[in-house]
């Protein structure tokens, strides 16, 4: 089994049979507040890079929707990617995920290619259909048909990577008479599909360059990963990586047993390492840790993870 060679980020974060660990931005424990304190956001991003985490993951949250309860990193993800490209050196820069139905795909394609070039091939582009209905009327969009627009957008973005592209769809017509610059570093930005994105499982398994899914118990996650890869193999697609998110609250007692929190758990470091190893053994290639509910100091926790977890799940230095 081998993954395609796409760009610097893709081929360091995702390796067959291995698992790497990244962090979800903001690197801030803001618990019950939807809005984080971003006062040390650059220092913490640089710290994550220096400590050897595989990736930083941003989110696309256009509006602070009270019922959703999470404003993300507050900055527009593509603007923030440009800043992080210059502030960091090795860490992959991912978006989990751009809400394609709320943006024109030409803008997404150009912004993604720009971020990939500015970072030296460190972009991983997660894409999703969106799950916050309140945002759609604010942008003059319909929520129920977002799955159709998602597919159309992905086709348009793929077409834009070619020189003088041609494409016809609901988002517009490219007649081959003009080009988009810049192009992605290796001619193609790695695109990871999030969840189902309103598509059927076969489509998800055969489109995109990998899959982002959500935390489940180990047995269920193993079956989900197996099913995803089986569907791709049956359609003749390349073997592709799978990643998941995980909310984690790392407490001081090493051997503390887990207790559930939103989309994750509170535990000692021993259980966290055992859990990550089980995910690796069942086909997960990357875990993006979200420390929003962490009760200890964030920078202390980052250093502890780097000292005690990353040696067992290392990121290879990019070429």
């Amino acid at each position: 089994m081998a993954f395609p060679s796409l760009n610097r980020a893709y081929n360091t974060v995702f390796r067959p049979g291995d698992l790497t660990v990244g962090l979800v931005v903001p690197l801030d424990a803001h618990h019950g507040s939807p809005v984080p304190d971003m006062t040390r956001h650059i220092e913490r991003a640089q710290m994550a890079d220096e400590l050897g985490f595989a990736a930083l993951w941003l989110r696309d949250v256009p509006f602070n929707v009270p019922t959703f309860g999470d404003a993300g990193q507050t900055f527009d993800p593509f603007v923030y990617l440009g800043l992080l490209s210059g502030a960091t050196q090795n860490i992959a820069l991912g978006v989990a995920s751009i809400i394609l139905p709320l943006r024109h795909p030409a803008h997404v394609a150009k912004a993604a290619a720009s971020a990939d070039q500015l970072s030296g091939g460190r972009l991983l582009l997660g894409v999703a259909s969106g799950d916050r209905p309140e945002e759609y009327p604010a942008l003059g969009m319909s929520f129920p048909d977002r799955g159709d627009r998602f597919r159309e957008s992905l086709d348009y973005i793929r077409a834009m990577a070619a020189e003088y592209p041609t494409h016809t769809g609901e988002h517009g017509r490219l007649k081959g008479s003009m080009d988009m610059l810049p192009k992605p570093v290796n001619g193609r930005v790695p695109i990871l599909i999030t969840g189902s994105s309103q598509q059927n499982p076969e489509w998800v398994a055969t489109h995109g360059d990998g899959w982002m899914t959500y935390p489940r118990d180990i047995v269920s996650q193993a079956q989900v990963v197996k099913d995803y890869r089986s569907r791709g193999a049956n359609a003749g697609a390349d073997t592709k990586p799978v990643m998941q998110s995980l909310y984690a609250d790392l407490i001081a007692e090493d051997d503390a047993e887990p207790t559930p929190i939103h989309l994750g758990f509170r535990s000692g470091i021993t259980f966290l390492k055992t859990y990550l190893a089980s995910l690796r053994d069942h086909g997960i290639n990357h875990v993006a840790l979200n420390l929003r509910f962490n009760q200890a100091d964030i920078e202390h926790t980052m250093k502890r993870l780097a000292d005690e977890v990353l040696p067992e799940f290392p990121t290879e230095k990019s070429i």
Side-chain angles (χ1 to χ4, degrees), residues 76-115:
D76 178 87
F78 286 120
V79 174
Y80 200 28
L81 283 169
L83 178 63
L84 292 175
S85 294
T88 59
Q89 294 183 337
N90 294 307
I91 198 165
L93 303 174
V95 188
S97 296
I98 292 296
I99 310 305
L100 287 190
L102 295 181
R103 295 172 179 258
H104 195 284
H107 295 150
V108 174
K110 187 174 182 73
S114 299

Side-chain angles (χ1 to χ4, degrees), residues 13 15 17-21 275-277 279-281 284-287 312-315:
V13 173
R15 303 189 304 272
D18 287 341
L19 180 144
T20 60
V21 178
Y275 179 83
L276 293 175
L279 290 177
R280 176 192 60 202
D281 294 345
I284 294 289
N285 303 109
H286 181 76
V287 172
E312 298 188 25
F313 307 97
T315 304

Side-chain angles (χ1 to χ4, degrees), residues 3-11 14 116 121 123-124 158 184-192 208-210 238 240-241:
F3 297 149
S5 180
L6 296 183
N7 74 355
R8 181 181 171 192
Y10 187 89
N11 295 110
F14 303 125
D116 194 46
L123 179 68
L124 297 170
R158 290 294 199 203
V185 169
N186 286 347
R188 176 173 171 177
V189 169
I191 296 178
L192 310 172
D209 302 304
D238 290 334
K240 300 171 186 177

Side-chain angles (χ1 to χ4, degrees), residues 58-72:
L58 286 58
R59 285 172 292 162
D60 187 12
V61 186
F63 297 93
N64 181 20
V65 181
T67 55
F68 185 65
D70 190 348

Side-chain angles (χ1 to χ4, degrees), residues 3-4 10 204-210 228-229 237-242 285:
F3 297 149
Y10 187 89
V204 172
T206 54
H207 292 73
D209 302 304
Y228 168 77
R229 290 206 168 108
D238 290 334
T239 302
K240 300 171 186 177
V242 179
N285 303 109

Side-chain angles (χ1 to χ4, degrees), residues 223-243:
Q223 184 57 49
V224 165
V225 172
K226 181 180 178 180
D227 180 70
Y228 168 77
R229 290 206 168 108
S230 294
R231 291 177 188 276
N234 291 339
D238 290 334
T239 302
K240 300 171 186 177
V242 179
M243 63 169 284

